[in-house]
Amino acid sequence: MNAKNIQFLRMTHLRGPNIWTYRPVMEALIDIGALEDFPSNTLPGFNQRLTAWLPGLIEHRCSVGERGGFLQRLEEGTWAGHVLEHVALELQTQAGMQTGFGKAREAGPRGIYKVVIRTRHEAVSRSALETARDLILAAIEDRPFDVKAEINRLKQMVDSLCIGPSTASIVDAASERSIPAIRLNDGNLVQLGHGAQQRRIWTAETDRTSAIAEGISKDKDLTKQLLSMCGVPVPQGQIVDSPAAAWEAAQDIGLPVCVKPTDGNHARGVSLELSKQEDIEAAYDIALAEGSEVIVESFILGEEHRLLVVGDHVAAANKGETASVVGDGVHTVSELIELQINSDPRRGEEEDFPLDTIRLDEHTTSVLELKRQGLTAESVPEAGRSVLIMRTGNMALDVTDEVHPDVAAQAVLAARVVGLDIAGVDLVAQDISQPLAAQGGAIVEVNAGPGLLMHLKPAVGQPRPVGQAIANHLFKPADTGRIPVVGLIGDGDTTRPATLVSWLLHLKGLYTGLACADGLFMNQRRLQSHGGMDWENAQRLLINRSVQAAVFESDARHLLAEGLPYDRCQVGVVTRMPKAQGLDDLYAGSDEKMPGYVRTQIDVILSHGTAVLNAADDQVADLARHCDGSVIFYADDEKNPRLVAHLAEGGRVAFWRDGQLVLSEGSRESLVLSNKRPAVSRLLQDGRLGTDDMLIAACVAWALDISTDLIRAGVKSFGQHTSH
Amino acid sequence: MEVSRIRALRGPNLWSRHTAIEAIVTCPEAERSLSANHPIEQRLRRIFPEVGPIEGSRSGQAPSMAHALEKVTLALQAQAGCPVTFSRTTATEEAGVYQVVVQYSEEAVGRLALELAEKLCQAAMKGHGFDLESALAQLHELDEDVRLGPSTGSIVDAAVARGVPFRRLTDGSLAQFGWGSQQRRIQAAEIDSTSAIAESIAQDKDLTKQLLHAAGVPVPLGRPAQTPDEAWAIALEVGLPVVVKPQDGNQGKGVTVNITERTAFDNAYATAVRYGTVMVEKFLPGHDYRLLVVGNKLIAAARREPPLVVGDGKHTVRQLVDLVNADPRRGTGHSTSLTKIRFDDIAIGRLHAQDLEPESVPEKGRRVILRNNANLSTGGSATDVTDDVHPEVAARVIEAAQMVGLDICGVDVVCESVLRPLEEQNGGIVEVNAAPGLRMHISPSYGKGRDVGNAVIDQMFPNGATGRIPVIAVTGTNGKTTTVRLTAHLLKAKGLRVGMTNTDGVYVNGRQTDSGDCSGPRSARNVLMHPDVDAAVFETARGGLLREGLAFDRCNVAIVTNMGGGDHLGLNYITTLEDLSVLKRVIVLNVEQSGMAVLNAADPAVASMAPHCPGDVTFFALDANQPVLATHRAQGKRVVFTEDGHIVAQKGKQVLRIPLAQVPLTRQGQIGFQTENVMAAIGAAWAVGVPWDAIAQGVATFISDIQGVPGRFNVFDYRGATLIADYGHNPDAIQALVQAVDNMPAKKRMVVISGAGDRRDQDIRDQTKILGQAFDEVLLYQDACQRGREDGEVIALLREGLQGAARTTYVQDIQGEFNAIDTALSRLSAGDLCLILIDQVEEALAYITEKVKASGV
């Protein structure tokens, strides 16, 4: 191959912690062919074109470690694989998928590289890499390239494929607290935590959001009735079945009134502050178009507010904007809207603009609003006259700090009366910093699954950490939603210890999942006998709501090809350093590279977790330095120097002495097992368990606070599946 | 006969514990005695033979048309299928005016029954005809319409059987169980803890399957397809035969099963695609089963069969269907265990698939299926197999429910037999349903019905809980409000969030949530609805009790402070003290068996309520030697009395004392009626287990100021004179006030009084008669509100009462309450005492407070 080309040989989605990082990455194996002879500084005009198309590259610090670092590398001359990494990352950033991490490494043969970028969605990163390749080739060949269109395409992919910003705010907040997350569908259904400790969210709904409460909240009349019974101020109202009845009800209730659908969504079909018969009758039809029934309510003077109730407190509060224009005696109302409102740079048609543009033909309520003021879209208001255009617009202004405690208490009570754990409470008040009763304010609606964006990105005021509030609502302060996870990796010798550990956890009374070379097991029941270590199968243990503890066996192939099926573990075990042989297709390289890969198993151990390492294998024992938690060393021989040293430093060790399995810490020793006991010796003779298997399992059990009595009983009863 | 003033008594009431319709019926002379062979009676019987005997209120007394109306109203409901038994007619003091009371199970049905009964009676009187059948049909239809459906009904029945209070929140199936902070809600077969997310997951069959697969539950593999070709490819991949169905369907719409070849497959695809995205799945051989999981238990299992007929070689399919539908067990609605098979286009389409026409004669023994789904509502059948379910099958089904996150879950299983594990027979779970129908388990077509309702109630109220909170009802002539407030204060001392209703408003956990006279059942019901209420104290006034009955079925404690000479006599057919006692004792009659009536031993009308209490009785009286109390005490039962400057609560050897000096409300025990109120509240707090320390602390910290108990013996200091404001408005209250004031030293004694116009003349006169013995100066005033009296009429009555007064030396008439207060204040000197009997409580207190404040500056 002599053309200047970049060829993708393979793209692999590493879905869990992997040899590169903790987080999922896309790993591309590329062949840069002839470009191997052309570092960036040798390609005429390449660097200029690249930086002109992607000015954001200046932010990439790269190995230099400061702003402009990557540009410096470009000037000095760097190779296409490295450029591909940075361009793909920059495209992802521009498309709105924030990912920092990337790496490019030679894979061995000349011109073959592994380029790795952090991903939040496989398809997006795949496309980002492909687009990056095309962009680089266009830059090399000095061909035009529509960067903006490509970024827009990627942006659309992000919008439709990645979890939405509201859900992301919760997931990110959970992640800050080390609570793991697993996305369960293509939408916003996400599991936080693992197995039996998990909670589920679906946008701003939680698994405790009651279906009945949601039904109640959709029935505005019932909601109001229930709130009123509990002394929460609500507007008086009547359901009506004709424009004439609407006018009659309005007179009963007292003018002015508002007219709206009973089961509508958002502000659609709502008309406010109506006093004239014709306006009220017209509003009836507008409301009917958006719902099945129409309600006439007393109009509550004041501005609309949205209070986000999470559990027993108000997490954020916003105030609705009122848009008005001021007449100049020259322009029509429509023109004034364009000049004075839509010209605001915060307004736009797309979702990420904090404010909507206002188009009279789309806002029938605005037309009524104008009519009420004796105007139409074509009227020319006299100079200085203020014209109200809309008030049911965005809840754009943050007022969280102003909410009076009494108002907050009423909002929280309203959510509780309806039965919602998370609710958007709409209320109308003239001054949110004063109690409702005195100002005649009222709660007008309680919404299930409220939008969070208005609080995350208010047009005016401080963003509120509502994702954090929801994460804290779901998980108590010290709770990370984790179950004990044990991961083992070795050189084909980990299936039996994994099975034994799973048996010990089962005897401890935990519903235990086991993913290993023998298949997939739930609570000692085999679901399948193949593919137990495959990422997708293994992850089922963590999704299962019954699972209270999970044991995962892995091997070098699965680690390199897919990553680990869990993000962090309580106990990580390495028994023997696997060999590179047979992993050529994965460009694993030589045996020396293996510890660098296998350390992943130790890197993912939680800070309060434990590494269980074979002291007799130097490469394995050396991994101890990567462990955030504590270390238990094991060896057959009590006199193993690492064992002796670790014990002297106050560490925990395990070994065999005179046919006795000993767990030792400081001066304390527990004798767990004797290989002379018939039940034990039979297992050893039959080859169903080896002495190492017992040592390893005992160490893991020790790390999980399983008593020596139970370890002893568990080893002896291994293979006797007496219960379900 | 004229029927007027119809009321629905929605709780225990003057007449019975049942919900009932009450009407005032006026009969002219001629309709007041119907003998057995009276022509009207005979015509009535001809129209409605099932009416049963029409008897008078007492034996030997001839019945009136009102009695006939009563019996007809009851019998109409009973004939229409309503479970009602109680009715009663009572003659009032006015000749020919009767109160007719008839039980109902549904208010709307009761009202309609009364309306129809009146028409029936009129027809009988006038000799016209009456279409009984259509009237009964109308009632039956309304009852079917308004009463709860079988699923919700079964849960409600279980709740009621356990004693869990129940209330419907809408005309639909939304209902509340329990009260206050213990309340739970259900809607059909869904409970308030049923998660909306879980429900959405169950709606998405593909996601459900994926999750069940993750949980290791066997599911038929497959996935949604966008085109018929893609769908067919999936079919080949998972292996024929397959099922084709809509991804988000319900009720089995658009589902085709057991498809083995392309043509049938394409037809099936076309059917399913009408309901949305199409799903292709491996077809599991065997029967359809529905297993019901509640919480983490398998409660019931049923084998479901689609509507089918079996050929006999003689009849056509259509005839066979008619024969099956002739089975009397097959009904049309949702209420029977079998429903008639529908012979419609869908059925005919299904016949075509079996190469049959409606007029074909299938050979003997051939099973002809008329629909693919096995729903009862389209003629399918359900056979209970709960006892057959293998534990491994149960385990998978429970895991499925838990994985999706549904606490009440209908799991659809397809397998040859539930007797063996699913994995052994290629069985699997095909669907998980939120809000499952319960009818097939409660009353299956064949086999044993299962108590599903009880399982749901157990799930919501574990360990036999009933969702009740302590409810204390307070009634009496005087002292109710103070007793209510003090009792609530004592419960608060136990750490409970208390809901309270009284004549000033509704209060929840110290916060006023409603204002005005809230002593009726509506306010009490609102308190029982409030999620933050751990205990409730209700002032229970006569008005609401007469209008609607009680807001609760049973209370833990009933307090009757006193009856005295009664109040408001002569209104609403309550004319004598005895009538009033019967009314007020309704709260005593409806005390829990484990509950307590706290009764004033010194008031004979109150003491005589004791035998009517299903629970225990605590007597209180100032005097330890009061015979009723002394007897109760000697029997080792609970009593509260005063002795040597202490309030003493005693039960046998258990004796607890609180010095009166530490109960500010009683002013060292000087104010007798307040001491009685305190004893009543102590008795109630004791009954619901408030610790003694908390009680002692509670009575010590309760202050009768205008914040604590507005209008109840609020004492002010005005330039060295003592000012007492009170809302006393009947002779008993005034007598008690006079006694209290007598104990307070004073140079000159003055009283300011107006009379309430809605009392009897005698009651108004008696008030000043008492005051004339105790006060030097009496200022009489009248205000705008004369409650139906002529201008000056009340003042005149008050003056009459003062004739020959022993002590009073000065009397003055004044127009307006504020004027009267001003006049009184101007006549006071230091060391004097003035009792102001206020009328407009809030305004008058505000006015006095302002004057007192100004005087201090």
Side-chain angles (χ1 to χ4, degrees), chain B residues 120-404:
Chain B
L120 194 152
C121 289
Q122 298 288 4
M125 282 188 285
K126 292 176 184 146
H128 297 160
F130 182 86
D131 186 348
L132 180 71
E133 204 173 312
S134 113
L136 287 177
Q138 204 184 335
L139 280 171
H140 182 73
E141 197 177 316
L142 181 65
D143 187 50
E144 283 263 290
D145 207 35
V146 295
R147 73 156 194 243
L148 289 166
S151 291
T152 319
S154 70
I155 301 169
V156 168
D157 289 347
V160 170
R162 182 187 286 192
V164 175
F166 144 75
R167 171 181 182 184
R168 280 174 85 167
L169 295 179
T170 59
D171 296 338
S173 56
L174 183 63
Q176 174 181 318
F177 291 128
W179 289 330
S181 58
Q182 301 300 308
Q183 68 183 283
R184 302 293 305 268
R185 289 174 187 157
I186 65 161
Q187 185 156 29
E190 207 171 60
I191 64 181
D192 51 13
S193 55
T194 302
S195 138
I197 289 185
E199 222 186 64
S200 305
I201 292 172
Q203 284 283 317
D204 183 339
K205 288 177 194 163
D206 197 34
L207 176 59
T208 298
K209 220 160 59 173
Q210 183 193 320
L211 291 176
L212 296 193
H213 178 61
V217 173
V219 288
L221 294 173
R223 53 176 195 275
Q226 300 305 324
T227 64
D229 286 339
E230 187 194 350
W232 180 245
I234 295 169
L236 295 178
E237 178 191 315
V238 300
L240 297 168
V242 292
V243 185
V244 170
K245 55 184 181 179
Q247 193 175 2
D248 300 310
N250 65 19
Q251 297 264 318
K253 280 182 193 133
V255 180
T256 311
V257 300
N258 203 4
I259 305 165
T260 51
E261 47 83 34
R262 182 71 198 246
T263 316
F265 184 87
D266 286 342
N267 289 338
Y269 187 94
T271 308
V273 81
R274 277 189 270 145
Y275 300 94
T277 306
V278 175
M279 177 92 190
V280 182
E281 265 174 18
K282 187 168 172 57
F283 175 68
L284 304 180
H287 302 283
D288 288 339
Y289 292 89
R290 165 61 69 81
L291 279 71
L292 179 74
V293 177
V294 176
N296 56 4
K297 291 195 191 81
L298 178 77
I299 299 302
R303 189 180 63 242
R304 306 167 80 194
E305 280 203 300
L308 57 85
V309 291
V310 180
D312 58 4
K314 286 182 232 157
H315 293 95
T316 65
V317 176
R318 194 186 291 280
Q319 288 167 332
L320 287 167
V321 169
D322 287 344
L323 283 171
V324 167
N325 283 345
D327 183 341
R329 289 176 306 167
R330 290 200 185 252
T332 48
H334 276 272
S335 52
T336 47
S337 57
L338 284 165
T339 305
K340 289 194 194 305
I341 297 173
R342 278 193 238 161
F343 204 71
D344 52 11
D345 287 350
I346 301 174
I348 291 166
R350 190 70 188 83
L351 285 182
H352 290 159
Q354 298 162 86
D355 294 324
L356 291 168
E357 293 294 332
E359 308 313 326
S360 313
V361 177
E363 61 271 32
K364 195 171 162 81
R366 176 169 177 189
R367 283 161 60 98
V368 178
I369 312 278
L370 291 140
R371 232 180 189 78
N372 281 333
N373 74 63
N375 292 335
L376 289 186
S377 56
T378 51
S381 69
T383 306
D384 177 73
V385 294
T386 309
D387 296 332
D388 291 350
V389 178
H390 190 279
E392 279 291 302
V393 176
R396 287 305 86 71
V397 164
I398 292 164
E399 280 164 4
Q402 298 207 323
M403 190 64 195
V404 171

Side-chain angles (χ1 to χ4, degrees), chain A residues 184 200 206-207 209-212 214 226 229 406 410 416-418 511 522 525 527 540 543-545, chain B residues 185 187 192 194-196 199 207 210 213-216 396 399 402-405 423 511 526 529 532:
Chain A
L184 294 176
R200 286 175 184 159
T206 78
D207 48 15
T209 303
S210 151
I212 289 183
E214 226 184 64
L226 293 175
M229 283 180 188
D406 185 68
Q410 295 279 338
R416 195 158 52 236
V417 168
V418 171
Y511 188 113
M522 299 277 187
R525 184 169 68 90
L527 303 185
R540 286 161 63 186
I543 295 175
N544 189 331
R545 301 217 326 177
Chain B
R185 289 174 187 157
Q187 185 156 29
D192 51 13
T194 302
S195 138
E199 222 186 64
L207 176 59
Q210 183 193 320
H213 178 61
R396 287 305 86 71
E399 280 164 4
Q402 298 207 323
M403 190 64 195
V404 171
E423 294 81 353
R511 183 193 167 91
N526 288 350
M529 270 287 304
D532 298 344

Side-chain angles (χ1 to χ4, degrees), chain A residues 465-534:
Chain A
V466 292
Q468 209 175 71
I470 293 174
N472 293 346
H473 163 65
L474 292 171
F475 294 93
K476 293 203 176 75
D479 183 5
T480 57
R482 291 183 181 275
I483 57 170
V485 165
V486 178
L488 305 94
I489 194 167
D491 193 15
D493 58 340
T494 40
T495 310
R496 287 185 312 193
T499 310
L500 179 53
V501 166
S502 145
W503 175 243
L504 296 179
L505 286 164
H506 172 72
L507 292 181
K508 202 188 173 191
L510 300 176
Y511 188 113
T512 303
L514 168 65
C516 66
D518 283 348
L520 200 64
F521 299 79
M522 299 277 187
N523 209 23
Q524 303 298 308
R525 184 169 68 90
R526 188 183 342 223
L527 303 185
Q528 61 190 54
S529 53
H530 55 88
M533 289 194 286
D534 292 353

Side-chain angles (χ1 to χ4, degrees), chain A residues 173-191:
Chain A
S175 170
E176 288 279 308
R177 287 185 44 185
S178 176
I179 299 163
I182 297 174
R183 194 176 179 190
L184 294 176
N185 67 354
D186 296 338
N188 288 312
L189 176 61
V190 176
Q191 156 186 343

